[in-house]
Amino acid sequence: MTRQRLVVVGASLAGVRAVRAAREAGFDGHLVLVGAEPHLPYDRPSLSKAFLEATAEPPAPTFLGRDVLRYDLKVDLRLGVPATGLDTKARTVTVAGVPLDYDRLVIATGAKARGLAGFEHLAGVHTLRTLDDARAVRRALHAGARTVVVGAGFIGSEVASSARKRGQPVTVVEALPTPLVRAIGEVMGTACSALHTANGTVLRCGVTVTGLEGDGRVERVLLSDGTVLPADLVVVGVGAAPATGWLAGSGLALGDGVVCDRTLATSAAGVYAAGDVARWWNPLFERHMRLEHWTSAAEQGAVAGRNAVSRTATEPYETVPYFWSDWYGTRIQFVGVPEGDVESVGDGDRFVALYRHGDRLAGALAVNRPSLTMKFRALIRRWAGWDEALALAAPGSAAGTPLVR
């Protein structure tokens, strides 16, 4: 009998979790892990946090050693060779120009950071998505670079925080009037972005970058209001797009990622997707979602791996979105969705903001309140009522404790 072959494309968090879950589920066939980068799979969140702040370059934050992958999990590693095509009828993935047969496939290629088109020739201009990106940015910060961050989202804000921790000047340029509106709403976007000014970062909102100048290396950033900012380092943090370009012509349903059902199955038989690249039907919220969060990538990878090799029923994946960020020594955590009216409990640098959808809790933002975050996540999962959420945020608040709107 021919051994079954599971191919996982994407040596990411989701990819590694898929590999491990498949083995733990009893899959004993040929397991191939394909990765575009030459590095062993590594953890990305630390790249914009502790990795940048280290005085000496830290080791790569790998998940598992090569021996564990090869000998314990019996993985056929294909690193540094991106997949360039998929034929769902022939059941082949093109890797290094050669078709690789699969019986089951998990797509975990993640997302690709958006850059500033037209300025690729200038040194000193970086996105921050890969280990190589982080190494280049850390070296520039360590050398005392005058830094401009384009985009006041979570990645850009973490870079700014790292620069200020080194005592270096940094300016953050944000095209929107208020940062983080899509992630946490206008009210809390304003509240969190105030951390920049409070910690000496210059925040410029409502302006765009119109050009970069320099003789082979960036020296100046031109803004839409006529301002010219001196810069030795420009870090672009304007979001990411799902890495689906290699799937053109594959026959898979695509639309802001690989479209999946509630079990993470795609439109092609035997093909699943997980992580930043997957847009799946979340039964809990009854809508399609694509999340670029560590927690969902880890959870989805495991479910996709198990479902891909299952000989019986597959399991649905449902979740309450969760992400976190650290700026200037402040822990910011969010669970749920940023919809509805917002009311906050607490003040100063320690508070909770609750997002109210009718009489239910839809989301919660916790600033320096880590002990409450997972409790709110559990409340949202069971669609808890507003009064219960309010009582958790501030015992006695329903009886009259003031709320800051």
Side-chain angles (χ1 to χ4, degrees):
M1 181 177 179
T2 304
R3 292 178 72 203
Q4 291 279 300
R5 176 182 285 166
L6 169 65
V7 175
V8 177
V9 180
S12 57
L13 169 63
V16 169
R17 291 298 176 93
V19 164
R20 184 183 286 279
R23 287 300 192 213
E24 290 175 348
F27 179 72
D28 61 357
H30 188 196
L31 205 166
V32 184
L33 178 62
V34 177
E37 296 181 58
H39 313 293
L40 288 169
Y42 58 85
D43 201 23
R44 296 186 189 276
S46 63
L47 298 182
S48 56
K49 302 179 178 73
F51 193 95
L52 295 186
E53 296 172 2
T55 54
E57 186 169 297
T62 54
F63 292 118
L64 299 171
R66 191 177 299 271
D67 287 350
V68 173
L69 286 165
R70 280 185 169 170
Y71 302 118
D72 293 353
L73 294 175
K74 297 180 174 56
V75 175
D76 179 355
L77 286 173
R78 312 279 183 96
L79 301 178
V81 283
T84 56
L86 171 64
D87 186 333
T88 55
K89 292 183 179 179
R91 292 202 174 201
T92 61
V93 177
T94 302
V95 180
V98 178
L100 173 66
D101 295 336
Y102 69 84
D103 295 291
R104 296 299 177 97
L105 174 68
V106 174
I107 297 171
T109 45
K112 184 177 180 180
R114 296 187 176 96
L116 292 179
F119 302 103
E120 295 83 359
H121 63 290
L122 287 177
V125 181
H126 301 278
T127 55
L128 185 50
R129 180 78 186 180
T130 69
L131 178 59
D132 293 336
D133 293 336
R135 284 172 170 166
V137 171
R138 196 208 67 82
R139 285 193 294 267
L141 291 175
H142 190 61
R146 296 168 299 176
T147 303
V148 174
V149 176
V150 183
F154 289 105
I155 295 294
S157 296
E158 289 169 2
V159 173
S161 173
S162 295
R164 290 301 301 145
K165 189 168 184 178
R166 293 173 176 271
Q168 296 166 204
V170 58
T171 299
V172 177
V173 178
E174 170 58 51
L176 296 175
T178 304
L180 298 168
V181 170
R182 287 186 289 271
I184 58 176
E186 184 174 358
V187 174
M188 287 300 108
T190 298
C192 288
S193 62
L195 287 168
H196 290 302
T197 303
N199 286 276
T201 295
V202 177
L203 177 62
R204 299 289 309 277
C205 293
V207 292
T208 59
V209 173
T210 58
L212 304 178
E213 294 180 342
D215 184 12
R217 171 171 288 276
V218 67
E219 298 173 13
R220 294 171 295 278
V221 179
L222 312 182
L223 303 184
S224 57
D225 64 357
T227 301
V228 179
L229 302 174
D232 308 301
L233 170 67
V234 174
V235 181
V236 183
V238 293
T244 57
W246 68 285
L247 296 171
S250 66
L252 286 183
L254 304 175
D256 186 33
V258 179
V259 180
C260 304
D261 67 12
R262 59 193 291 164
T263 69
L264 302 175
T266 72
S267 58
V271 181
Y272 293 78
D276 297 5
V277 76
R279 187 167 72 89
W280 97 110
W281 181 261
N282 188 344
L284 192 62
F285 289 86
E286 297 184 329
R287 69 182 78 173
H288 274 101
M289 289 184 169
R290 188 179 70 84
L291 304 176
E292 297 179 10
H293 305 158
W294 190 98
T295 303
S296 56
E299 294 171 345
Q300 286 181 8
V303 172
R306 286 193 295 270
N307 286 348
V309 302
S310 174
R311 297 181 182 275
T312 56
T314 53
E315 62 182 285
Y317 172 68
E318 63 178 31
T319 191
V320 175
Y322 165 63
F323 65 85
W324 76 94
S325 189
D326 294 301
W327 315 354
Y328 311 105
T330 296
R331 171 57 62 96
I332 299 169
Q333 296 168 288
F334 187 87
V335 290
V337 293
E339 298 176 354
D341 298 327
V342 181
E343 299 183 8
S344 62
V345 179
D347 52 29
D349 62 355
R350 193 169 182 268
F351 64 90
V352 172
L354 304 180
Y355 296 70
R356 179 175 185 168
H357 184 78
D359 289 329
R360 293 178 173 177
L361 177 68
L365 174 75
V367 176
N368 288 330
R369 298 291 301 274
S371 64
L372 293 181
T373 306
M374 291 301 105
K375 295 177 182 178
F376 282 118
R377 194 182 189 204
L379 292 186
I380 296 169
R381 177 176 288 278
R382 60 182 178 82
W383 287 104
W386 181 250
D387 289 344
E388 186 177 357
L390 204 59
L392 175 62
S397 58
T401 300
L403 296 178
V404 181
R405 292 180 181 268

